[in-house]
Amino acid sequence: MKLKHLFTVAASAIILASCGSGSHKNGVALEGVLATDSIQDFVLSYAQDGDIQKYRYINIKPDDNGHFEIADSLLPAEGVHATLLADNAGFFGVWLEPGKTAVADISGTPSTGLSISYSGDNADINDVFNDITTTYDIMVYTPQDPSDAMTKEDALARLNKERKRINAKVATLKDDKKREYYTKYADLLSDRMEGFVIEDNAYANDAEPLDDPAYQALIAKVDPNLDQSLETAMVYVWLRNATRGMDAASIEGNKAQMDIIDTKITNPRTRKALYNAIANSFFAYQKPTPEAAAEFIKLYGERAKDYPEFIDRYTLVAQGVKEIKSGDQLTYDPTIQTADGKTCKLSELFGKVLYIDFWATWCGPCCKQIPHLEKLVEKMKGEKNLEFVSISCDTDVDAWKAKIAKDKPEWAQYIFAPGEGDKFMTSMNITGIPRFMLFAPDGKILLPEAPMPSDPKIEQTLQGYLK
């Protein structure tokens, strides 16, 4: 099964007729029928406490008739907004509330796509929430494959049209509190999609999205203490703007971020999520030295004392930080394989200056580098002592094969053998992709973090190591 998101027919009518009355089925928050064949992975996922750094995934196993159930006991007591994912064919939103039973009828085919209809408890809410979820889909407005992207003008026009339609639908909810909640939720999620469009356009033009007045207008609407701001991720945009100009890699910069959270954030769920985000960002994106990691953990231990689980988690991360420098050798030599299943060690590729792209099909920023890499390969194809290699971190081999079959890249393509990617990434202290590295012919690391293909300096950088 291929999960694009973070998501037998004959008996289905009989089953739904028996469970679609709207009455609660004891101990069951969700039941229904997956009325289609060939779905390999069927998953319910949700962000715990609204924290996008902490997702829970529940595998769903329908019976021979396609019937499935999710127990109350698997969900938070206060209820949760979740996502149902069925391979690449289905991606649906659902509100689950212990003590009530939502009923979902999923039909269609993987080739043409799946659709969902709700009955049972909260059917009106689920119809609205699912429409919001599928309409404001990040894959629509910032697709992984740049060739599928809309222009900025077309994307904003589509968002404006959809915003009007969704607002009209939310207005049909009869419960005043629910109508108010989902009106704000839909508005913020539409804003987040608009923000993604602005960000993509700005980065493509080497500009800072926070300089865009339209982006600032979106941020000005955010109340960081609303649950909807957390659940739509707009609070993270708000924090980035509030801490603009601060050095996120420095201890003083991180202290300043924590000061803002402590003084401005009163929502306990949001405060907890932001403290998690600060530490995750520091280790995943700032690439600290062992000394900086230790200093950060000392500060974090003092300021995040309400979250001992985070302190324990990131203390372990800090202890594993090591600095990979120019001149170092591979700390782990992984097994990689080609699309036709041939395997070799990474070290077997040495012999020329090697520019390696570590990427994955599910990584949007990775895929956006591919057209730039294609141009770079074409520009430098006369350099006999230089070789370009892409190594995929995908665990879904079929998704990787489909992507390279579509793109037809003219440089070497490999994928990590099962289990090898995690070992290599951990050993080399690589915490995020896309990641580009440059190796000397003897296998020594020339640049542990080489410029990306989109960087104007990349050609000059490569030429400097070919002299």
Side-chain angles (χ1 to χ4, degrees):
M1 171 195 206
K2 309 176 187 72
L3 288 178
K4 176 182 178 181
H5 305 266
L6 296 178
F7 297 164
T8 62
V9 179
S12 64
I14 298 173
I15 293 170
L16 282 176
S18 66
C19 66
S21 64
S23 59
H24 174 54
K25 186 172 181 179
N26 189 38
V28 176
L30 174 68
E31 71 169 338
V33 171
L34 179 64
T36 185
D37 295 326
S38 305
I39 297 299
Q40 301 299 312
D41 289 326
F42 188 32
V43 177
L44 180 85
S45 70
Y46 64 86
Q48 300 180 64
D49 298 324
D51 187 347
I52 59 175
Q53 310 292 338
K54 295 168 54 184
Y55 264 88
R56 182 177 184 187
Y57 297 90
I58 300 171
N59 290 315
I60 306 172
K61 299 296 182 184
D63 65 19
D64 291 342
N65 294 316
H67 181 255
F68 62 88
E69 293 183 351
I70 297 290
D72 283 348
S73 59
L74 296 175
L75 306 173
E78 67 276 13
V80 69
H81 289 107
T83 303
L84 282 166
L85 307 109
D87 288 350
N88 278 339
F91 166 65
F92 311 108
V94 60
W95 161 251
L96 298 178
E97 186 176 354
K100 294 188 177 182
T101 304
V103 180
D105 178 13
I106 302 173
S107 58
T109 66
S111 60
T112 60
L114 304 182
S115 61
I116 194 168
S117 62
Y118 285 107
S119 56
D121 295 323
N122 290 327
D124 58 340
I125 294 171
N126 278 320
D127 182 46
V128 166
F129 179 64
N130 176 63
D131 202 356
I132 296 170
T133 300
T134 54
T135 295
Y136 299 133
D137 178 2
I138 187 174
M139 297 297 183
V140 172
Y141 294 99
T142 57
Q144 294 174 340
D145 190 333
S147 65
D148 295 332
M150 293 179 276
T151 65
K152 178 182 178 182
E153 292 72 23
D154 286 347
L156 294 179
R158 177 169 176 167
L159 274 170
N160 186 53
K161 179 180 178 181
E162 294 289 17
R163 189 189 294 256
K164 292 177 181 177
R165 183 184 67 81
I166 289 292
N167 286 348
K169 188 166 186 175
V170 174
T172 66
L173 289 174
K174 295 179 181 179
D175 184 286
D176 291 343
K177 289 184 177 179
K178 292 295 185 182
R179 186 171 60 254
E180 180 182 354
Y181 180 90
Y182 287 107
T183 296
K184 188 62 177 178
Y185 180 93
D187 186 49
L188 284 170
L189 193 55
S190 178
D191 287 350
R192 188 64 194 104
M193 294 305 107
E194 185 175 341
F196 280 128
V197 171
I198 293 171
E199 288 167 15
D200 266 19
N201 184 261
Y203 295 143
N205 292 285
D206 296 321
E208 168 55 62
L210 290 173
D211 290 336
D212 191 317
Y215 202 55
Q216 285 295 323
L218 297 177
I219 297 170
K221 293 164 58 179
V222 177
D223 178 346
N225 288 298
L226 285 180
D227 283 338
Q228 297 98 317
S229 297
L230 175 60
E231 294 197 4
T232 61
M234 278 301 288
V235 72
Y236 299 102
V237 180
W238 173 88
L239 181 62
R240 187 164 73 244
N241 187 62
T243 58
R244 186 180 182 187
M246 300 177 187
D247 181 3
S250 72
I251 298 304
E252 284 305 310
N254 277 276
K255 182 178 180 298
Q257 291 184 67
M258 296 175 196
D259 288 343
I260 289 174
I261 295 171
D262 288 346
T263 57
K264 300 290 187 181
I265 303 301
T266 57
N267 185 321
R269 293 171 73 232
T270 303
R271 185 175 184 275
K272 184 176 182 179
L274 291 178
Y275 260 100
N276 190 16
I278 283 179
N280 182 74
S281 176
F282 180 79
F283 287 106
Y285 303 113
Q286 305 308 325
K287 300 175 180 59
T289 64
E291 294 76 19
E295 191 175 359
F296 174 86
I297 284 298
K298 180 180 178 182
L299 171 66
Y300 196 71
E302 296 168 353
R303 300 295 295 271
K305 56 182 178 298
D306 291 338
Y307 317 114
E309 70 273 32
F310 292 165
I311 295 173
D312 290 345
R313 178 192 309 169
Y314 292 111
T315 296
L316 289 175
V317 173
Q319 291 170 350
V321 168
K322 51 182 170 290
E323 189 173 8
I324 304 297
K325 306 180 298 299
S326 298
D328 288 352
Q329 297 280 0
L330 281 177
T331 54
Y332 180 76
D333 190 11
T335 299
I336 54 178
Q337 61 189 48
T338 60
D340 60 4
K342 295 178 182 178
T343 63
C344 67
K345 290 292 189 179
L346 174 56
S347 59
E348 294 179 53
L349 304 183
F350 296 146
K352 298 181 179 181
V353 173
L354 206 60
Y355 182 70
I356 302 182
D357 166 25
F358 296 101
W359 73 294
T361 61
W362 45 260
C363 168
C366 298
C367 293
K368 288 176 182 178
Q369 287 297 317
I370 292 174
H372 298 284
L373 182 53
E374 185 176 28
K375 292 177 183 177
L376 181 63
V377 171
E378 177 63 25
K379 280 184 179 180
M380 306 200 71
K381 64 182 180 182
E383 297 291 345
K384 304 301 182 183
N385 293 320
L386 173 65
E387 187 168 356
F388 295 91
V389 173
S390 288
I391 301 178
S392 170
C393 302
D394 282 283
T395 55
D396 188 336
V397 177
D398 289 339
W400 170 65
K401 288 181 178 179
K403 176 65 174 170
I404 59 176
K406 177 183 177 182
D407 291 352
K408 297 180 175 57
E410 296 184 359
W411 61 97
Q413 301 290 318
Y414 295 88
I415 190 170
F416 284 112
E420 292 289 89
D422 286 344
K423 292 178 183 177
F424 176 78
M425 294 293 182
T426 300
S427 175
M428 296 294 291
N429 195 31
I430 297 175
T431 55
I433 54 175
R435 178 69 174 267
F436 295 84
M437 297 185 70
L438 194 64
F439 290 85
D442 62 2
K444 288 184 179 179
I445 297 171
L446 294 173
L447 291 175
E449 189 163 4
M452 293 188 182
S454 60
D455 191 319
K457 301 188 297 291
I458 180 57
E459 191 174 350
Q460 180 182 354
T461 299
L462 294 177
Q463 290 289 4
Y465 286 101
L466 292 172
K467 294 178 180 178

